[in-house]
Amino acid sequence: MIVRARVYGSLLEASEEWRRLGLPMVAETEEEVLATRFFFAEGREEGEVEGMAFAAEEASGDAWRCDSEGVRRVMLAMEPEELRQACRAPACSAVQSILSAVDSLYHRAEAPPVDTGKVRLSFERTRIMGILNVTPDSFSDGGRYLSKESAIARALEMADEGADIIDIGGESTRPGAQPVPAGVEMERAIPVIGGAAPSLDVPISIDTRHAEVAEAALRAGASMVNDVGGLRDPSMAEVAARNRAPVVLMHMQGEPRTMQSAPRYADVVGDICLFFDDRLREAEAKGLAKEMIVLDPGIGFGKTVEHNLEILRRLREFSCLGRPLMVGASRKGFIGRLLGTKEDERLEGSLAAAAAAIMNGASIVRAHDVLETRRLARVVDAIKGK
Ligand code: HH2
């Protein structure tokens, strides 16, 4: 079970969400919405969620159940004074979960570092993951780096431009893409990884959903796994754990081929949080420690334009999971839809999305345009006081 603090920007935003979740209108004025502290406790176990409702009521707060398909969920509301009282006497673990959700949202501590073996990635500043697709069909750079030499040259160029991680992928996962056999993915990516790794001071991540490809890439010189499949391959967590490689665990609803047909969520942020919570537990059970995992909500992977915007707006809510967050919005379809532009005319939109992500708590931004994103991050970090 996780407890997530929910800050509404307006009565309208709150009432639309409550209607969607089948909740009553629990506040009637703008002031009430802004003054009350709201939390959602979400889990699979009836006892845990019911316990949260009980604890909130014990601390004089209110609780409303709003379960949805497979998810037990309760919304809690507390007055600031009730929360202060609870802080003074954090009587039980349920109240402590509420307090740590408040902490993660408001105290904005730096995300914990991640050890790639090659370097320890700490987050006193935003890190940039540079994208290198060695595929014929990636939506933006497909076909540009098909020769090993041109791909290695681009990897080195991105490192010079300020990339902190080079992400190499041999399978396009754009909407509608056909899956590629692991053998083909390896033929494309492994020689480039082997060729680039000795000349790079920064770590390489392998962008793959397949444990077999991840294992070969780690052997060839990669130090991290970027798994858009979110550990669906049952061997992925074990492969990463055995190789002591950190993993980016990304959320995707469905499969690339069909994921954009009708994406649906009860609450896009809540549902993804619970997915992360489930996968973090499964990973831990397979020997992959939480400390090795970076979370990515998967912009564009089974999400409408509105879902993507909502994720970026509410990104900070994911900090209740206590892991660094990565966002990959670079040149994605929602930017094209908003601006009416093709992939090669989405730089400003990509930078705007990166700025919003960093302001809202992203520690790593995945980007095609490394130099520009590096500069943007420098300025946004300074605005944040970093
Ligand atoms: N997006 C893409 C691929 N890998 N990995 C993470 N963690 N997060 C993302 O948002 C993400 C990702 C899709 O973008 P791209 O690599 O440019 O295209 P394609 O999948 O067509 O190769």
Side-chain angles (χ1 to χ4, degrees):
M1 187 196 59
I2 40 165
V3 180
R4 180 167 55 81
R6 176 75 174 98
V7 179
Y8 296 109
S10 66
L11 176 61
L12 180 67
E13 185 189 359
S15 52
E16 280 180 354
E17 183 170 298
W18 296 337
R19 196 168 306 118
R20 240 182 12 244
L21 290 171
L23 285 161
M25 293 299 120
V26 308
E28 276 160 18
T29 65
E30 207 80 46
E31 290 70 28
E32 231 183 311
V33 167
L34 299 180
T36 307
R37 300 287 176 255
F38 295 97
F39 304 90
F40 282 88
E42 284 144 341
R44 310 278 178 206
E45 303 276 334
E46 176 57 29
E48 283 181 335
V49 173
E50 201 45 49
M52 280 306 301
F54 185 69
E57 281 162 358
E58 282 277 280
S60 329
D62 294 305
W64 296 267
R65 286 298 292 258
C66 48
D67 295 358
S68 55
E69 274 171 48
V71 181
R72 299 183 192 281
R73 179 180 279 127
V74 61
M75 182 174 84
L76 315 170
M78 297 175 89
E79 299 295 325
E81 186 47 36
E82 290 160 0
L83 204 54
R84 256 194 301 278
Q85 293 286 352
C87 285
R88 282 194 207 110
C92 60
S93 65
V95 171
Q96 277 163 16
S97 308
I98 294 179
L99 298 180
S100 84
V102 177
D103 214 48
S104 64
L105 197 68
Y106 294 105
H107 296 161
R108 305 189 176 200
E110 205 167 283
V114 173
D115 194 353
T116 70
K118 189 156 184 163
V119 298
R120 187 167 170 273
L121 283 174
S122 54
F123 301 110
E124 69 286 349
R125 65 177 174 83
T126 303
R127 301 290 169 174
I128 311 296
M129 175 184 272
I131 303 170
L132 178 56
N133 288 311
V134 286
T135 63
D137 58 341
S138 286
F139 79 93
S140 162
D141 58 351
R144 282 190 66 184
Y145 306 109
L146 285 183
S147 80
K148 181 178 157 188
E149 293 68 32
S150 64
I152 294 174
R154 178 61 188 145
L156 300 182
E157 183 180 46
M158 287 197 291
D160 280 347
E161 289 176 348
D164 298 289
I165 307 163
I166 307 293
D167 190 41
I168 301 183
E171 180 192 38
S172 171
T173 46
R174 73 183 193 288
Q178 293 292 335
V180 167
V184 174
E185 230 186 301
M186 287 195 269
E187 271 168 34
R188 292 173 180 170
I190 304 304
V192 178
I193 294 172
S199 315
L200 284 169
D201 293 330
V202 296
I204 291 176
S205 59
I206 172 72
D207 184 352
T208 187
R209 302 185 273 166
H210 304 116
E212 194 185 343
V213 179
E215 177 107 67
L218 293 169
R219 235 181 282 130
S223 355
M224 225 174 141
V225 179
N226 175 21
D227 182 7
V228 301
L231 302 178
R232 277 186 218 184
D233 183 325
S235 306
M236 188 65 101
E238 285 151 23
V239 164
R242 191 170 351 102
N243 289 279
R244 294 199 178 80
V247 174
V248 178
L249 191 168
M250 198 198 78
H251 174 271
M252 161 163 56
Q253 189 178 84
E255 283 291 323
R257 210 166 45 78
T258 52
M259 65 191 177
Q260 290 306 103
S261 61
R264 273 187 60 237
Y265 298 87
D267 173 58
V268 68
V269 173
D271 290 5
I272 296 174
C273 269
L274 193 53
F275 163 86
F276 284 149
D277 190 46
D278 289 343
R279 290 297 156 104
L280 286 167
R281 282 167 208 270
E282 279 171 38
E284 225 151 16
K286 289 182 174 173
L288 182 65
K290 198 174 166 180
E291 288 66 35
M292 298 298 275
I293 296 180
V294 171
L295 300 174
D296 181 339
I299 296 289
F301 285 86
K303 279 119 192 156
T304 62
V305 172
E306 199 40 61
H307 290 142
N308 292 320
L309 298 175
E310 187 162 355
I311 289 169
L312 288 168
R313 193 182 309 129
R314 296 173 54 194
L315 194 71
R316 192 160 293 281
E317 290 176 43
F318 293 108
S319 58
C320 65
L321 292 146
R323 301 306 310 144
L325 298 175
M326 182 165 113
V327 168
S330 185
R331 302 187 190 169
K332 287 212 168 143
F334 79 101
I335 297 170
R337 292 278 283 281
L338 290 170
L339 298 178
T341 56
K342 295 225 168 355
E343 291 80 357
D344 58 354
E345 288 179 32
R346 295 180 187 167
L347 175 62
E348 301 87 342
S350 302
L351 294 176
I358 298 169
M359 279 310 288
N360 291 336
S363 295
I364 309 175
V365 174
R366 185 177 181 273
H368 297 89
D369 302 289
V370 170
L371 182 70
E372 293 83 351
T373 311
R374 166 84 273 140
R375 288 177 176 165
L376 168 121
R378 174 75 197 90
V379 174
V380 179
D381 282 348
I383 294 169
K384 289 176 75 179
K386 283 192 167 187

